[in-house]
Amino acid sequence: RLYGNVGVRMNTTLHRSYAAQSRMLDIHGLRHIITPEIVAFASTTNVDPEENYHYDDSIESHLRTNTGVSFGLYNRLQTKRGPAGSRQTVDWMRFNVIAGFFGNSDEAENGGDGMMFFSRPELSRQRSFLYGEYLWNVSDAITFMADANYDMEDSQLDTLNFGLAVRRDPRLRYYLGLRHIDKFNSTIGVFGMSYQINKKFTIRLREEYDFTYRGGVSNSTEISLIRKLPRWYVGLTLGHSARYQGSDEVTLMLTLWPEGVPELFLNAGRMNYGKSSSDN
């Protein structure tokens, strides 16, 4: 069995500064950064994924002949905040739009919303899509965020999310959000909270409530106790999730990760790398 993949990614950056001032919005100058981007790939194989023995379903099931291209426009507005004389540059708003098109969209295989993954294009959800995301740092403590995905093949809005994150340093942080998934006719409310009890212990709570399924049901509940060690963190999580078919599920999970590498977790015998942050 043979498989080949080739691609290209091109972008550039444009920016312009404005002498905008507003005490109400806490704006002291604005800089608009625009990053247009094009990503294209083509892949081919001599064996159909259904005829290929799957050593790992996360790999062989995606090795198919396909082509794809995406066009992105990333916008960032920066300003300066802080006490006069020691202000620092921060992101005020971000607004990104991405359109993706694939040459071999398979509705049965990829029934969800489309998405292009730049580092592993063969894992992309291969449905033509239009995706937008927005973030507004209202203040140093409050952030509003939203995103939506439009399926061009079905001509409908697949997902819509928005939420509010609040930071009451140094101890309390919480998040309130609402997520709608059209294909499942599901509207889910999300609440998350983190409270630092002392220098060693932190407690975290997460709740997802589905307002439409069975007239309203708690979809997922998790509570975690995190202990800080000299160079490591260890967390114990008790979770409950409602299964849409069959009985509910209760889990007890132990998580371990090193200090200074928050995106690396050792969880249930598997090492997972989270998404790294990026600017435009």
Side-chain angles (χ1 to χ4, degrees):
R1 55 185 183 177
L2 301 174
Y3 176 78
N5 192 333
V6 63
V8 63
R9 182 177 185 178
M10 300 178 293
N11 60 42
T12 188
T13 300
L14 311 170
H15 65 90
R16 184 176 180 179
S17 298
Y18 303 89
Q21 299 287 330
S22 173
R23 292 181 59 187
M24 183 178 68
L25 298 176
D26 196 11
I27 292 175
H28 305 279
L30 279 179
R31 180 169 61 180
H32 186 193
I33 302 173
I34 304 175
T35 304
E37 181 177 74
I38 300 177
V39 177
F41 80 95
S43 59
T44 185
T45 181
N46 65 334
V47 180
D48 187 273
E50 302 303 323
E51 300 175 1
N52 207 353
Y53 182 81
H54 290 187
Y55 291 99
D56 188 335
D57 285 333
S58 65
I59 298 177
E60 282 85 1
S61 62
H62 300 280
L63 302 185
R64 61 181 67 242
T65 297
N66 194 19
T67 57
V69 60
S70 72
F71 305 93
L73 187 63
Y74 303 86
N75 295 270
R76 186 154 47 117
L77 282 173
Q78 292 184 326
T79 188
K80 290 187 176 182
R81 284 178 172 172
S86 59
R87 289 178 178 145
Q88 296 181 348
T89 300
V90 298
D91 285 351
W92 181 47
M93 288 187 182
R94 299 172 72 100
F95 178 61
N96 304 325
V97 179
I98 304 172
F101 307 89
F102 297 93
N104 184 26
S105 297
D106 187 344
E107 186 174 356
E109 186 71 19
N110 301 282
D113 55 327
M115 187 58 65
M116 172 77 82
F117 299 129
F118 305 130
S119 58
R120 294 290 300 276
E122 71 276 12
L123 302 182
S124 299
R125 298 195 290 267
Q126 298 162 8
R127 294 181 62 81
S128 298
F129 68 92
L130 179 64
Y131 174 78
E133 60 181 0
Y134 173 76
L135 182 144
W136 175 23
N137 287 313
V138 183
S139 68
D140 293 339
I142 302 174
T143 300
F144 174 79
M145 59 197 76
D147 64 82
N149 194 302
Y150 181 80
D151 191 326
M152 295 186 185
E153 299 184 28
D154 286 345
S155 299
Q156 65 181 20
L157 188 66
D158 269 352
T159 60
L160 175 63
N161 309 303
F162 57 89
L164 193 68
V166 181
R167 300 172 296 279
R168 298 299 181 189
D169 292 332
R171 293 186 174 228
L172 178 64
R173 298 187 178 191
Y174 59 91
Y175 172 83
L176 289 169
L178 193 65
R179 177 171 70 244
H180 177 72
I181 306 173
D182 184 78
K183 281 182 167 52
F184 297 110
N185 190 27
S186 177
T187 301
I188 299 174
V190 181
F191 171 75
M193 182 195 71
S194 175
Y195 182 75
Q196 183 178 345
I197 302 173
N198 52 40
K199 292 182 178 180
K200 293 184 178 180
F201 288 97
T202 299
I203 189 170
R204 292 180 179 174
L205 174 66
R206 176 181 173 85
E207 169 68 26
E208 292 187 2
Y209 189 86
D210 195 327
F211 294 97
T212 55
Y213 180 67
R214 292 191 302 192
V217 64
S218 176
N219 188 39
S220 174
T221 303
E222 288 185 357
I223 184 169
S224 302
L225 182 64
I226 300 171
R227 170 70 156 88
K228 185 183 184 304
L229 302 175
R231 290 288 178 233
W232 288 79
Y233 290 90
V234 60
L236 186 65
T237 301
L238 178 64
H240 170 269
S241 59
R243 307 193 53 157
Y244 291 97
Q245 294 180 351
S247 59
D248 292 356
E249 185 176 72
V250 178
T251 59
L252 183 64
M253 181 170 57
L254 181 67
T255 308
L256 182 70
W257 68 97
E259 185 179 25
V261 193
E263 64 272 13
L264 177 61
F265 292 87
L266 185 62
N267 182 356
R270 177 176 296 180
M271 194 168 289
N272 300 317
Y273 291 88
K275 293 183 179 180
S276 60
S277 61
S278 61
D279 291 333
N280 276 17

